[in-house]
Amino acid sequence: MTMTVKEMAESLGFTVLTGGKGLDNEVTGCYCGDLLSWVMAKAQSGNAWLTVMGNVNSIAVATLTDCACIVLTELAPLDTDAKLKAESHGIAILTTHKNSCEGAVEICSLLKNKS
């Protein structure tokens, strides 16, 4: 019931913005949220985190929660500092034109079909 970030991105047509070792992370679920303190308290290790927050604080939250990756929805921008920090920490960041709800439904469906 898992897949790698790379497999997820390829299956769903998400674009990889940063990757490195993070593309090999196992995705076990997903979490949607833009309030960073809430995500920090609720996201689980292995989640693909869907958000519109493409700043350096998001990278810190992803590191603390051990998320599998960040998926920037609705083509939300990734700022330069965040991209550099993600690359240095091996955090995969993907992007999609879909909103968080659509992305989450697709990720959950893909995980369900993997089991």
Side-chain angles (χ1 to χ4, degrees), residues 8-40:
M8 180 187 74
E10 290 172 352
S11 295
L12 299 179
F14 294 171
T15 302
V16 176
L17 300 178
T18 68
K21 296 179 286 184
L23 292 174
D24 295 327
N25 289 344
E26 293 289 321
V27 179
T28 58
C30 64
Y31 190 83
C32 299
D34 298 319
L35 184 59
L36 299 182
S37 60
W38 193 270
V39 174
M40 202 166 31

Side-chain angles (χ1 to χ4, degrees), residues 17 31-39 49-62 69-79 82-83 86 91-95 100:
L17 300 178
Y31 190 83
C32 299
D34 298 319
L35 184 59
L36 299 182
S37 60
W38 193 270
V39 174
W49 172 26
L50 293 91
T51 185
V52 295
M53 303 298 291
N55 61 37
V56 71
N57 293 331
S58 298
I59 308 309
V61 171
C69 63
I70 297 173
V71 179
L72 293 175
T73 57
E74 300 184 52
L75 298 176
L78 175 64
D79 71 38
K83 183 175 182 176
I91 296 173
I93 301 179
L94 315 175
T95 188
S100 293

Side-chain angles (χ1 to χ4, degrees), residues 72-106:
L72 293 175
T73 57
E74 300 184 52
L75 298 176
L78 175 64
D79 71 38
T80 303
D81 290 340
K83 183 175 182 176
L84 293 172
K85 186 127 183 138
E87 288 170 347
S88 73
H89 286 279
I91 296 173
I93 301 179
L94 315 175
T95 188
T96 180
H97 69 279
K98 298 167 186 159
N99 66 37
S100 293
C101 181
E102 293 167 329
V105 167
E106 288 186 354

